[in-house]
Amino acid sequence: MKKLFFTLLTLFSSHMLLAQNHIIPLWEGTPPLQKEVELKEKIVQEDIVRISNVQTPTLEVYLPAKSIRNGQAVLIFPGGGYRILAYDWEGTDFAKWLNTQGIVGIVVKYRLPDSPSLTDPKEVPLLDAQRAMRMVRYNAEEWGINPEKVGVMGFSAGGHLASTLSTQYDHDLDLPKDTIDELSARPDFSVLVYPVISFRDKSAHSGSSKALIGENPSQDFLDRFSGELNVNADTPPTFLVHAQDDKGVPVRNSLLYYEALTDAGVPASMHLYPTGGHGFAFGLGKGTVENWRNELLTWLKTMQD
């Protein structure tokens, strides 16, 4: 019995060493573009964990064991139409999976534009995303990360945010700055999973658009938040995955972004599957789309060079 106890203790300790996580706020005090009001974050845990009304944006950092860490890190933006965050389904589950590959996985709990506490809702998700990238680079040495190997992964509306960060990482607002804000917010690579891309094309996801820029946005806002219109030669290399039968966010979103990347001479890898629908995450039990993660791992290795 004693031998069994120590065996189980060793296994438990090894598991704990493999994946360590901690949560840190993105901002000190009240975040920028936010009023101090009595609002509480809402967490609903049913089939998945859904978070809404985020008031304190955070990074949830998952560190693999030092012995297998390869220097890469991935910031993860869960989807949810800019109204909720599918926090485990498209967030922490993937951070833990990345850990098994020696990659630091970091889930971003970003603020959502429908909160009445925000003073300029359309700017807030990108502002949080920029801050998240800079904070990772600021803490890179402590977390065993190569600051030149930090990418983003976004799902659905989180994919829209990841693509917006990839194309507007240097977008600047007239706000107080600190030493963290002096660092680059440009991702070194981008992974977009059934992403919302366009707000002006016929494939636009109206729910995400309305949540972020309102019911009757100007043409300038439609163009600014349509990722395919903002790609240039400095946009990071990108991995795209989408299902042809996606009824939530049409596959044309990924096609538009891929075409723009190709025109700009940016390396891109696109993986399309005939079935899988929308929100398949790991793709378990969804047929051939289950294989997309293996394709991603192969591609991520090319980003280590």
Side-chain angles (χ1 to χ4, degrees), residues 98-118:
L98 288 167
N99 274 186
T100 67
Q101 308 302 317
I103 301 168
V104 176
I106 304 167
V107 184
V108 186
K109 188 173 71 175
Y110 56 93
R111 288 174 291 168
L112 299 161
D114 62 349
S115 174
S117 65
L118 304 182

Side-chain angles (χ1 to χ4, degrees), residues 4-26:
L4 176 60
F5 171 79
F6 281 109
T7 300
L8 292 172
L9 181 62
T10 300
L11 289 172
F12 178 76
S13 300
S14 299
H15 175 73
M16 293 300 291
L17 287 171
L18 181 64
Q20 309 163 41
N21 72 296
H22 55 281
I23 298 173
I24 57 176
L26 281 180

Side-chain angles (χ1 to χ4, degrees), residues 3-266:
K3 183 177 180 181
L4 176 60
F5 171 79
F6 281 109
T7 300
L8 292 172
L9 181 62
T10 300
L11 289 172
F12 178 76
S13 300
S14 299
H15 175 73
M16 293 300 291
L17 287 171
L18 181 64
Q20 309 163 41
N21 72 296
H22 55 281
I23 298 173
I24 57 176
L26 281 180
W27 310 95
E28 290 187 17
T30 302
L33 303 182
Q34 183 170 314
K35 300 175 290 186
E36 288 193 50
V37 293
E38 291 296 322
L39 291 174
K40 291 186 178 180
E41 177 179 295
K42 184 177 181 181
I43 302 175
V44 177
Q45 186 164 3
E46 295 173 342
D47 52 335
I48 64 173
V49 175
R50 293 174 173 85
I51 299 178
S52 58
N53 201 33
V54 174
Q55 299 300 305
T56 303
T58 62
L59 298 180
E60 184 162 357
V61 185
Y62 285 79
L63 300 176
K66 290 182 179 180
S67 60
I68 64 170
R69 226 172 283 179
N70 64 18
Q72 278 186 324
V74 176
L75 278 168
I76 305 169
F77 300 102
Y82 282 123
R83 297 189 184 278
I84 63 106
L85 301 178
Y87 196 73
D88 56 349
W89 183 250
E90 296 170 343
T92 54
D93 287 353
F94 278 87
K96 295 170 187 175
W97 172 71
L98 288 167
N99 274 186
T100 67
Q101 308 302 317
I103 301 168
V104 176
I106 304 167
V107 184
V108 186
K109 188 173 71 175
Y110 56 93
R111 288 174 291 168
L112 299 161
D114 62 349
S115 174
S117 65
L118 304 182
T119 59
D120 193 352
K122 70 181 184 305
E123 299 291 350
V124 168
L126 176 59
L127 185 64
D128 284 353
Q130 291 172 313
R131 181 71 171 187
M133 180 59 69
R134 290 170 173 140
M135 283 196 71
V136 172
R137 291 200 165 109
Y138 185 78
N139 291 282
E141 183 175 357
E142 179 184 347
W143 295 343
I145 295 169
N146 183 332
E148 296 180 355
K149 295 182 180 179
V150 184
V152 290
M153 173 187 284
F155 299 79
S156 194
H160 182 268
L161 180 54
S163 67
T164 303
L165 179 62
S166 297
T167 54
Q168 300 184 46
Y169 49 84
D170 57 358
H171 181 70
D172 190 40
L173 298 174
D174 186 15
L175 294 169
K177 305 289 195 297
D178 60 19
T179 55
I180 296 175
D181 294 316
E182 296 173 3
L183 300 173
S184 173
R186 178 187 180 273
D188 294 302
F189 56 87
S190 181
V191 179
L192 307 180
V193 188
Y194 39 85
V196 175
I197 294 293
S198 184
F199 278 2
R200 75 166 203 168
D201 188 80
K202 63 183 180 181
S203 66
H205 185 249
S206 60
S208 296
S209 177
K210 289 177 183 177
L212 187 63
I213 57 177
E215 289 278 356
N216 299 295
S218 68
Q219 190 62 49
D220 286 345
F221 286 157
L222 288 170
D223 291 350
R224 181 189 157 197
F225 289 103
S226 292
E228 78 277 15
L229 302 182
N230 296 287
V231 169
N232 59 37
D234 294 324
T235 302
T238 303
F239 179 101
L240 292 139
V241 60
H242 221 124
Q244 189 178 13
D245 67 346
D246 190 330
K247 304 301 183 185
V249 177
V251 69
R252 181 167 167 77
N253 283 269
S254 286
L255 295 171
L256 286 168
Y257 200 70
Y258 180 82
E259 183 178 10
L261 292 167
T262 301
D263 289 346
V266 176

